[in-house]
Amino acid sequence: MVTLQGFGQNVPLGTAVPQFPGIRANISGFVNIFSGGSLRQDSTSFVYRAIATKIAGAHQLTFGAEFERTRIDANDYSYVPGDNTFNGQNTGNAVADFYIGAESNFFQDNGRTFYLRENRFYAFLQDDWKISHRLTLNLGVRWEPWLPPNDLNNSLTGFVPGQQSTIAPNAPLGLLFPGDKGIQTSVFKKDWKDFAPRIGFAWDVLGNSKTIIRGGYGIFYSFPEGLLYQRTDAMQPTDLYLNIPNPPSFDNPYQGFAGGDPFPRPHISSSQFATYKFVLPLSGGVLDPASRVGYTQNWNLTVERQFRNDIAVSVAYVGNHGLNIMGSRQFNPAIFNATATVANENSRRLYPGLATVELASSYVYDEFNSLQVNMTKRFSGGLTLLTNLVWGKTIDNTSSAAEGNTGPPNPFNFRSARGPADFDQKYRYNLSVVYALPGLKVKGWENTVINGWKLNLISSLDSGTPVTILSGTDRSESGIGNDYANIIGDPTRPAGMSQIQQYFNTAAFTAAPIGTFGNVGRGMLRGPAYFDVDLSVFKDFAFTERFKLQFRAESFNTENRANFQNPVASVSSGTFGRITAANDPRVLQFALKFMF
């Protein structure tokens, strides 16, 4: 069996519990190796719901309530062998760093366990009021209090700058636990004031049901999912999670570490917190007790028009704005100074006693605005058609807010990550067609074989998604490692250069100067567009009224177009600026389906 120990790394497993000794190694820009590990997560939900409707004259009243009890039990031992990162900071090339064993980061834990229990409750009231035969008004309100989960392990951890824990008095300043002043068992505070109003209308302009104007506005609350709590369950005292930047060697990353290699190590119960001696500096994750519940405001205004009896066209403005969305970020950067090095990174941290620590807080926001045009042709003349065009833009300050996110490149300026969302596409066009092919006047077996075929076509045309140019190494020496690059020229691809070999002018970018976070804007470039046509022909062969056999011939990416993925965007990568991957080529498949 291939293990890290087999490669010569003198690191025992983080736990004495028998585990699969896998391999974790990330060679930035090239490959991320994970041979698998012991991970178990059981999630169970119990939902109780009651809804009633009453019609009173022109009003249709709908009201109800729901209670949901969720439990998530997890044991994650996938990091107990240790995780090695090579980012090129030693030689300028991540692969070269790997060959000489010069890793940029090593971390290990003794396994993460959490047993989350969460209650969710909501109640709502809605009135669909038909003011006249031409105007309907929809009014409603939803009460959805935030009742954050508790952990039966009592391992949820909070952080409040300047406050000393009394539950674990040896903890670094600011690290707090359930039972400390102002810290509930859930760390996040319950919020009983979450009311979400909804309003909408539909107006038949001419009274002939051919021209309709619709509009609506509503508030929708969003609560963090259980995955967000995974990092905080890697925090001492319950669990031990160690992060060592620029370890002295691959063979012995704990060489020179105060107290030596602390693994393997058992989990610590809350009854031992008062006397627990922390292994410093701490790594892991914490929750922000001041976080607020996230919500999104949605709005739309639509004009619909029917032409003939089978064609409908709609033009809509659709938008939303999310605020206080829960996300994770690195909040304890190292402060750069004239003597800053990777080796003294932890001694320069903003909060002493803490190393790389992830904070879950409600700092994420997003904005979306779009013009959406739809046309539908109902079945007639053998043809059904649906097509739509979306012209929109999504802006946010992170598109990956779950656990493991580093946050903005400059941790002192949240706006440094403001830009087009990672999934933003200026244009998206879709076309769906179903056509019953015309029949021939034949009989017998010829009629069975030749007639009754249908053609289905689905086509998509999307503009490219944003590309953010990164330095690829920790140029700011903040210990976060999410620094953007510097732009020093025109990024337009040189004439005659293949877009695969050089999608943009790589000479226009350089790694940010030491001590800085880079000056390029997030998502300043756009990746390749996407175009795809999927075709299928199918026919049902009826043996009896009950038994049918369907034959299908399908083609995906029929035109066999190379839909390239975004280019490598890290300056430190040996493939910087190149396109190294594409979506699937043409795929043909045939199928038979028996229906009864």
Side-chain angles (χ1 to χ4, degrees), residues 315-443:
V315 179
Y317 164 60
V318 179
N320 61 59
H321 181 33
L323 290 169
N324 303 328
I325 308 301
M326 192 69 67
S328 64
R329 62 182 177 88
Q330 294 292 336
F331 83 109
N332 191 34
I335 308 300
F336 180 78
N337 57 40
T339 61
T341 65
V342 175
N344 63 22
E345 183 178 283
N346 284 332
S347 66
R348 297 183 285 109
R349 295 282 183 178
L350 183 63
Y351 299 107
L354 303 181
T356 302
V357 180
E358 196 172 297
L359 177 72
S361 65
S362 53
Y363 77 99
V364 180
Y365 64 85
D366 59 51
E367 303 169 1
F368 173 69
N369 292 279
S370 69
L371 176 67
Q372 302 183 11
V373 181
N374 295 270
M375 186 185 80
T376 303
K377 181 186 181 302
R378 293 189 295 273
F379 181 80
S380 64
L383 178 66
T384 301
L385 182 146
L386 173 63
T387 184
N388 63 77
L389 171 67
V390 178
W391 174 36
K393 187 170 187 177
T394 304
I395 294 175
D396 62 23
N397 61 348
T398 180
S399 299
S400 177
E403 63 94 22
N405 189 36
T406 57
N410 183 347
F412 304 102
N413 178 15
F414 288 174
R415 289 186 62 85
S416 64
R418 177 181 169 85
D422 296 348
F423 52 85
D424 177 60
Q425 292 172 302
K426 187 174 182 180
Y427 298 106
R428 298 197 305 274
Y429 174 74
N430 297 286
L431 171 67
S432 174
V433 176
V434 178
Y435 181 54
L437 298 174
L440 299 178
K441 294 182 178 180
V442 292
K443 298 180 180 179

Side-chain angles (χ1 to χ4, degrees), residues 175-197:
L175 204 65
L176 302 176
F177 305 90
D180 279 320
K181 182 180 179 180
I183 304 298
Q184 304 176 4
T185 55
S186 59
V187 179
F188 292 137
K189 296 179 174 63
K190 294 180 175 63
D191 189 343
W192 297 92
K193 302 177 182 179
D194 299 329
F195 292 92

Side-chain angles (χ1 to χ4, degrees), residues 205-253:
V205 179
L206 303 176
N208 59 5
S209 300
K210 291 183 177 295
T211 302
I212 308 295
I213 297 178
R214 305 178 190 273
Y217 170 86
I219 292 179
F220 301 83
Y221 287 99
S222 59
F223 304 124
E225 298 301 323
L227 185 62
L228 188 74
Y229 298 89
Q230 185 168 326
R231 290 286 182 184
T232 194
D233 283 283
M235 177 59 77
Q236 298 181 56
T238 302
D239 303 318
L240 178 58
Y241 175 104
L242 288 183
N243 183 79
I244 302 177
N246 199 33
S249 71
F250 173 83
D251 294 343
N252 189 4

Side-chain angles (χ1 to χ4, degrees), residues 289-307:
S291 293
R292 303 169 61 187
V293 62
Y295 67 94
T296 299
Q297 302 176 71
N298 290 354
W299 56 84
N300 66 82
L301 181 63
T302 305
V303 179
E304 300 176 356
R305 174 66 183 177
Q306 180 178 332
F307 299 92

Side-chain angles (χ1 to χ4, degrees), residues 564-586:
F564 297 115
Q565 297 181 14
N566 283 357
V568 177
S570 175
V571 172
S572 67
S573 172
T575 56
F576 177 51
R578 295 182 188 175
I579 292 177
T580 60
N583 294 313
D584 291 337
R586 180 192 296 126

Side-chain angles (χ1 to χ4, degrees), residues 7 24 135 170 358 412 444 485 497 500 531 540 571:
F7 279 111
R24 296 194 78 131
L135 179 63
N170 297 319
E358 196 172 297
F412 304 102
M497 181 63 67
I500 298 176
F531 176 63
D540 293 336
V571 172

